[in-house]
Amino acid sequence: MAATKSRDHYRQIADEKLARFADGPLLHLIGGEAVASADGATFDNTSPVDHSMIGSVAAGDAADVDRAAIAASDAFGDWSQRSGKDRQRILRSVADLIEARADDIAAVECVDTGQTIRFMSAAATRGAENFRFFADHAPSAHDGRSMPDRDHVNYSMRQPLGPVGVITPWNTPFMLSTWKIAPALAAGCTVVHKPAEWSPCTASMLAEIALEAGLPPGVLNVVHGMGETAGKSLTEHRAIKAIAFVGESSTGSAIQAQAAPSLKRLHFELGGKNPVIVFADADLERALDAVVFMIYSLNGERCTSSSRLLVQASIHDEFVERLAERVRALRVGDPLDPSSEVGPLIHQRHCDKVRSYVQIALDDGAEVLVGAGDDDPESNFVSPKLFTNATPNMRIAQEEIFGPVLTVIPFDDEAEAIDVANGVDYGLAGYLWTSDTGRAHRVARDLEVGMVWVNSQNVRHLPTPFGGMKASGIGRDGGPEHSFDFYMETKNVAVAYDSHSIPRLGSVSP
Ligand code: NAD
């Protein structure tokens, strides 16, 4: 997973690529043109590494969203009518260009988000894989089923919805955007993308790559800006047929209300408070590696992070002692340094929120075993934290902290583990470690989550369904069926053999 090139290599790329962001505002991309906001408004984008200015960014509002929605509507006819093979060819070219520029994308992402290069290198490459995966399925995207009965031939087909909106968060912005945009384009939809205001850079890089790869102007548009203005306008726009949203659960609720008057189709990937359950009979070496990886990778700013460790009481003390050693040894540092494991968190406001949980933990009676007082409050580098002796109802065991912070809760038996795991509002992912096959299946069945990994960290296989239950989301991504179902209408056509009877209302003869 670790990037093999040097820090100097990535630093040089970052300096080179970031120069353009300092050179005048980063503009919207609408109808293939880089354009300023209609009212000329901009906002500042700073780096979480040292709070230095990356550059100003066009701040879009309703007028800019309207321009982008019109461009996406105008481009829809041609794009949706093209053959699947044609869409496949172009999307494969997008994948090739992403791969060729993976270092550029990764380096810019590190400086813009604070995520470390060892993970952003992999995330950039995964962006290319996402495009290639959905490109492969583009020729069959419109396929349906044949369902003949005695009197009719029924056949179904899928048709792209039209222009759609994609709204993304800041935690792994490039990779997440490709995961939403690639299937929309493969299905034949056109897109207006509103990236997170704290991490705007790679969204523009993606749209430029797509244009260069031959995607027609207007098929992928980017409008930068705040959620409450640009994002809100996108969710309300009548020409936009659906919103694919990734972000906080509370934002999902707001979007549901904003989108209600225009009856939009919605797909939500929201927050999580995911349990990793370690039973005493597990392979504890592998479990320890996975527990550490699944909360302290990606700065803990990861929807599927295992932020609650449920550990069986009989192994609790020994496991936690070894865990604490590993957490103390995590390498926090420059995100462009391939040896760094944890980088700075995205924004001062987010750091304040994450750090506030130390006091919350103490107030609620938990112990802060690692990371209590090691932070410089002026810096975005947050030391990894380990909260122990927690009980299931404490705030640290219920709320999504979204940082390098793990809460440990002991349990006695399987029933209690399931109870505690399910006792939160969220239901995105669950991880469980046991050598008992029957138990693995029972617990996987009973966890109220959309995805379970047994004896594994989060390893994605792209055809599998991705998404959450409860406050963690609505709908599933993944595979051609889940993603395409969201971006397409399914139509059924029934054709009679002329053999069935038709009731003769109003006729004189019965
Ligand atoms: P956020 O909800 O604050 O923002 C996400 C996006 O929504 C941003 O682009 C923002 O500008 C926009 N937005 C905000 N208010 C809006 C509104 N009223 N209307 C329309 N758009 C609006 O989330 P965040 O802080 O950027 O990201 C972190 C959250 O994302 C965490 O809760 C995390 O769990 C979640 N997340 C979930 C998944 C998943 O797959 N389930 C993946 C990554 C992140």
Side-chain angles (χ1 to χ4, degrees):
M1 166 95 44
T4 50
K5 296 164 190 157
S6 72
R7 170 186 169 158
D8 289 348
H9 167 81
Y10 291 112
R11 183 75 261 167
Q12 194 183 340
I13 293 177
D15 288 345
E16 227 172 78
K17 296 297 155 197
L18 286 162
R20 73 156 279 204
F21 297 105
D23 196 23
L26 179 62
L27 300 175
H28 310 301
L29 199 93
I30 299 178
E33 303 285 331
V35 294
S37 291
D39 64 4
T42 60
F43 65 94
D44 289 347
N45 179 31
T46 56
S47 170
V49 181
D50 53 7
H51 302 161
S52 61
M53 176 83 163
I54 293 176
S56 65
V57 183
D61 66 9
D64 307 298
V65 167
D66 191 46
R67 275 195 291 172
I70 291 170
S73 300
D74 290 347
F76 176 68
D78 168 62
W79 182 245
S80 60
Q81 293 302 317
R82 287 186 181 221
S83 71
K85 281 267 178 212
D86 203 23
R87 288 198 303 278
Q88 178 182 63
R89 181 181 55 75
I90 294 171
L91 299 184
R92 281 182 176 163
S93 303
V94 176
D96 292 344
L97 276 179
I98 292 174
E99 219 154 57
R101 298 193 194 150
D103 277 1
D104 302 357
I105 294 163
V108 169
E109 196 88 301
C110 289
V111 178
D112 202 16
T113 64
Q115 295 284 6
T116 58
I117 194 72
R118 62 171 57 220
F119 300 123
M120 288 308 96
S121 287
T125 312
R126 169 70 197 285
E129 276 167 33
N130 289 342
F131 263 90
R132 203 157 280 133
F133 177 80
F134 287 108
D136 285 349
H137 293 285
S140 55
H142 296 199
D143 287 359
R145 294 172 58 205
S146 162
M147 295 156 283
D149 68 5
R150 199 193 54 169
D151 295 318
H152 294 82
V153 178
N154 285 277
Y155 63 91
S156 66
M157 65 180 86
R158 285 194 296 210
Q159 295 173 322
L161 279 182
V164 298
V166 171
I167 301 179
T168 47
W170 43 259
N171 56 328
T172 43
F174 183 82
M175 194 287 286
L176 280 174
S177 305
T178 60
W179 180 238
K180 302 309 234 181
I181 291 170
L185 299 179
C189 292
T190 54
V191 173
V192 178
H193 179 202
K194 208 301 280 172
E197 52 271 40
W198 286 350
S199 60
C201 296
T202 53
S204 291
M205 291 171 83
L206 174 63
E208 288 160 8
I209 282 175
L211 262 185
E212 199 180 324
L215 198 73
V219 173
L220 172 58
N221 307 276
V222 178
V223 177
H224 292 290
M226 304 299 133
E228 298 72 18
T229 48
K232 182 166 183 287
S233 304
L234 187 58
T235 61
E236 291 171 343
H237 202 288
R238 298 250 162 208
I240 298 293
K241 303 300 176 202
I243 294 285
F245 169 73
V246 185
E248 283 189 25
S249 303
S250 57
T251 314
S253 295
I255 290 176
Q256 209 161 28
Q258 291 159 199
S262 56
L263 286 176
K264 272 188 187 44
R265 187 179 290 189
L266 299 171
H267 183 192
F268 288 165
E269 287 180 6
L270 310 173
K273 188 73 179 175
N274 311 297
V276 50
I277 307 173
V278 179
F279 288 96
D281 62 7
D283 178 336
L284 297 180
E285 286 304 318
R286 286 174 68 78
L288 181 64
D289 286 344
V291 165
V292 175
F293 176 76
M294 276 314 304
I295 180 65
Y296 298 105
S297 59
L298 295 173
N299 299 347
E301 296 166 320
R302 176 182 198 153
C303 57
T304 50
S305 72
S306 56
S307 48
R308 289 183 295 155
L309 167 61
L310 279 49
V311 58
Q312 197 150 25
S314 57
I315 56 160
H316 174 275
D317 292 354
E318 193 192 333
F319 195 80
V320 169
E321 192 182 315
R322 297 191 57 202
L323 173 62
E325 248 172 63
R326 295 281 290 273
V327 179
R328 287 191 194 98
L330 286 166
R331 289 184 292 273
V332 180
D334 180 355
L336 289 171
D337 184 340
S339 70
S340 296
E341 293 169 327
V342 180
L345 303 195
I346 182 81
H347 195 276
Q348 194 66 46
R349 215 181 315 149
H350 185 55
C351 294
D352 292 346
K353 174 192 150 179
V354 171
R355 288 188 182 118
S356 73
Y357 280 93
V358 169
Q359 195 54 48
I360 292 168
L362 295 172
D363 289 347
D364 282 356
E367 187 181 341
V368 181
L369 191 59
V370 183
D374 322 339
D375 284 21
D376 167 6
E378 298 302 313
S379 139
N380 286 26
F381 288 90
V382 171
S383 65
K385 304 189 190 310
L386 183 62
F387 298 159
T388 52
N389 286 329
T391 54
N393 291 328
M394 288 181 181
R395 286 182 61 191
I396 54 170
Q398 289 287 324
E399 297 174 10
E400 186 185 45
I401 301 174
F402 218 57
V405 183
L406 177 60
T407 298
V408 184
I409 308 166
F411 69 87
D412 285 320
D413 57 20
E414 188 177 312
E416 187 188 357
I418 292 169
D419 237 33
V420 174
N422 290 342
V424 293
D425 290 339
Y426 297 105
L428 187 57
Y431 304 85
L432 69 108
W433 288 84
T434 178
S435 56
D436 178 333
T437 312
R439 169 149 64 198
H441 287 294
R442 283 193 303 274
V443 178
R445 178 196 62 199
D446 292 342
L447 286 179
E448 294 168 356
V449 295
M451 299 168 284
V452 179
W453 278 271
V454 179
N455 297 334
S456 175
Q457 77 281 29
N458 172 341
V459 178
R460 284 283 293 133
H461 177 47
L462 298 187
T464 59
F466 184 99
M469 294 184 183
K470 295 157 74 176
S472 289
I474 298 177
R476 294 290 179 273
D477 272 323
E481 70 273 33
H482 300 289
S483 296
F484 285 166
D485 267 355
F486 176 70
Y487 289 117
M488 301 178 94
E489 293 287 9
T490 298
K491 179 184 287 180
N492 189 67
V493 179
V495 182
Y497 289 121
D498 296 338
S499 54
H500 71 295
S501 68
I502 304 175
R504 305 194 66 217
L505 301 184
S507 162
V508 282
S509 50

